Amino acid sequence: MLLLREAQKLQALYQSLAKSIPESLKVYGSIFHISRGNPFNLEVLVDSWPEYQTVITRPQKEEMTDDMDHYINCYHIFSKTPERLPEILESNKVINWDQSLRIQGLQQSLDEKIKSVAASKSVQIDYSKCVLYITEATLQMKSYNKRIFGKSQETDNQNTGKFKSEVDKFKTTFLDVSHSELVNKNWKFGKNEKSLRYIKRCIQNFPAYCLLGPEGNPISWNVMDAACELRMAYTLPEYQGRGMLREMMIPYMKYLQQNEIPFYLFVEDKNENSHKAVRHLGFQAMPCGWHLWKSIPTRFQQLPHF
């Protein structure tokens, strides 16, 4: 695999990946944030250039120092030729199979290939499939060549006056890092120190939004990750069923669209309430699905995992 560093090549890759939305959104979103300071220190690998077939984004080596931290040890994959993936993924120079890690992609065709490589490495794979949702605005990114490198990166993520909630005594605003504990406590996949560090880093570097209740504390929120995915959406139990998530999401989505930030999210198959909520917000379900492979090396399988 070749490491792509030059801004001109990354720009060309980004514009090419747009043609493969929604399947390419994981790597497309990663490169978007790389162009804006690269706060998670990601790097981009391609199997060849300029005629690539497979793209992988991953943290730089100095980021992956904790073998147990699968929040950081995360790889995003897009491939035009999934049948060739095993020969790429078997190399420990591409994926460090000795660590607990996550692999994410938006292609069903990756599943069999990733599992076969994991079996050859004698590592356990936990696979999850969910429904991928995106908006028409994100789908339309396929049709134009957006320039992200060399473009002004300033976005006004503090001016929220024009996005005020229509509900009395409630206010929409950006999450502050001081809210990280609250988000972590209520995140299904969090509730531990590693997830707390991860959440803090996301809130500090990417637009994360919330609805403040009458006492000035977040009652509903959503966080963006290093691949432009919207995650950790939650509304406190006492406010659920009252449209609070919608009150928060409408101005949040407006902000992202105005700043040309791609975004998407997933919903678990059986979560009917969430399916209805995101559809009412204008999200569309994509047939390619959302896929996660979590790998746990044998030496870690007896230890507690989150």
Side-chain angles (χ1 to χ4, degrees), residues 111-129:
D111 183 39
E112 180 185 346
K113 307 306 177 185
I114 291 174
K115 287 178 178 176
S116 69
V117 175
S120 72
K121 299 288 184 179
S122 299
V123 298
Q124 174 185 323
I125 282 283
D126 293 332
Y127 169 67
S128 302
K129 178 183 178 182

Side-chain angles (χ1 to χ4, degrees), residues 129-131 133 188-189 232-235 240 245 265-279:
K129 178 183 178 182
C130 298
V131 179
Y133 279 98
K188 177 180 178 179
F189 305 106
M232 309 172 206
Y234 188 77
T235 300
Q240 291 177 9
L245 181 65
L265 51 81
F266 75 88
V267 176
E268 294 175 328
D269 286 342
K270 297 180 180 179
N271 193 340
E272 286 302 324
N273 288 335
S274 292
H275 285 289
K276 291 178 183 177
V278 299
R279 287 197 295 266

Side-chain angles (χ1 to χ4, degrees), residues 126-143:
D126 293 332
Y127 169 67
S128 302
K129 178 183 178 182
C130 298
V131 179
L132 172 69
Y133 279 98
I134 70 174
T135 63
E136 184 62 33
T138 300
L139 270 178
Q140 289 176 356
M141 291 182 175
K142 298 178 68 167
S143 61

Side-chain angles (χ1 to χ4, degrees), residues 15-276:
Q15 293 174 338
S16 174
L17 288 168
K19 302 172 185 176
S20 298
I21 290 173
E23 291 88 350
S24 64
L25 271 172
K26 281 287 181 180
V27 291
Y28 183 84
S30 300
I31 296 173
F32 178 88
H33 282 318
I34 288 172
S35 76
R36 278 154 170 72
N38 198 11
F40 268 59
N41 294 322
L42 302 180
E43 59 188 16
V44 181
L45 298 130
V46 292
D47 59 336
S48 59
W49 187 258
E51 300 300 323
Y52 70 92
Q53 298 298 315
T54 296
V55 186
I56 297 176
T57 61
R58 68 182 184 188
Q60 296 173 17
K61 186 176 181 179
E62 55 267 28
E63 287 286 331
M64 296 192 288
T65 57
D66 184 345
D67 289 343
M68 293 281 286
D69 192 348
H70 63 84
Y71 299 98
I72 294 298
N73 305 333
C74 185
Y75 302 75
H76 302 122
I77 296 179
F78 168 72
S79 183
K80 300 176 185 177
T81 53
E83 66 275 7
R84 295 185 58 190
L85 266 184
E87 61 188 85
I88 294 173
L89 301 185
E90 284 173 358
S91 170
N92 272 25
K93 293 182 179 179
V94 176
I95 291 184
N96 186 354
W97 292 100
D98 294 327
Q99 295 183 319
S100 289
L101 57 87
R102 290 178 298 142
I103 299 173
Q104 295 184 344
L106 305 176
Q107 297 171 277
Q108 178 69 53
S109 54
L110 303 179
D111 183 39
E112 180 185 346
K113 307 306 177 185
I114 291 174
K115 287 178 178 176
S116 69
V117 175
S120 72
K121 299 288 184 179
S122 299
V123 298
Q124 174 185 323
I125 282 283
D126 293 332
Y127 169 67
S128 302
K129 178 183 178 182
C130 298
V131 179
L132 172 69
Y133 279 98
I134 70 174
T135 63
E136 184 62 33
T138 300
L139 270 178
Q140 289 176 356
M141 291 182 175
K142 298 178 68 167
S143 61
Y144 67 96
N145 285 331
K146 179 183 174 188
R147 185 156 200 86
I148 55 172
F149 288 87
K151 179 181 177 181
S152 173
Q153 299 173 6
E154 292 184 5
T155 54
D156 183 4
N157 65 348
Q158 299 302 322
N159 181 17
T160 57
K162 57 187 175 183
F163 296 146
K164 288 182 180 179
S165 169
E166 296 177 0
V167 180
D168 290 342
K169 299 181 181 178
F170 292 83
K171 177 186 176 183
T172 50
T173 188
F174 288 89
L175 273 175
D176 184 79
V177 70
S178 64
H179 301 137
S180 300
E181 289 274 8
L182 179 64
V183 175
N184 188 45
K185 177 183 176 182
N186 292 285
W187 186 27
K188 177 180 178 179
F189 305 106
K191 303 179 175 68
N192 61 83
E193 287 301 315
K194 289 181 173 60
S195 62
L196 178 60
R197 289 198 300 269
Y198 174 74
I199 290 167
K200 285 181 177 178
R201 197 167 174 182
C202 286
I203 292 176
Q204 286 172 327
N205 291 288
F206 310 127
Y209 219 61
C210 71
L211 183 67
L212 301 179
E215 297 180 356
N217 299 316
I219 62 165
S220 185
W221 57 81
N222 212 329
V223 177
M224 177 172 278
D225 73 5
C228 286
E229 182 175 305
L230 304 185
R231 309 180 64 191
M232 309 172 206
Y234 188 77
T235 300
L236 294 179
E238 59 267 36
Y239 290 98
Q240 291 177 9
R242 295 168 55 181
M244 296 302 175
L245 181 65
R246 179 180 175 83
E247 281 294 318
M248 181 270 299
M249 284 296 295
I250 289 176
Y252 186 28
M253 292 166 60
K254 186 182 296 184
Y255 168 82
L256 296 174
Q257 290 169 2
Q258 287 180 347
N259 286 283
E260 298 183 320
I261 301 173
F263 62 93
Y264 53 98
L265 51 81
F266 75 88
V267 176
E268 294 175 328
D269 286 342
K270 297 180 180 179
N271 193 340
E272 286 302 324
N273 288 335
S274 292
H275 285 289
K276 291 178 183 177

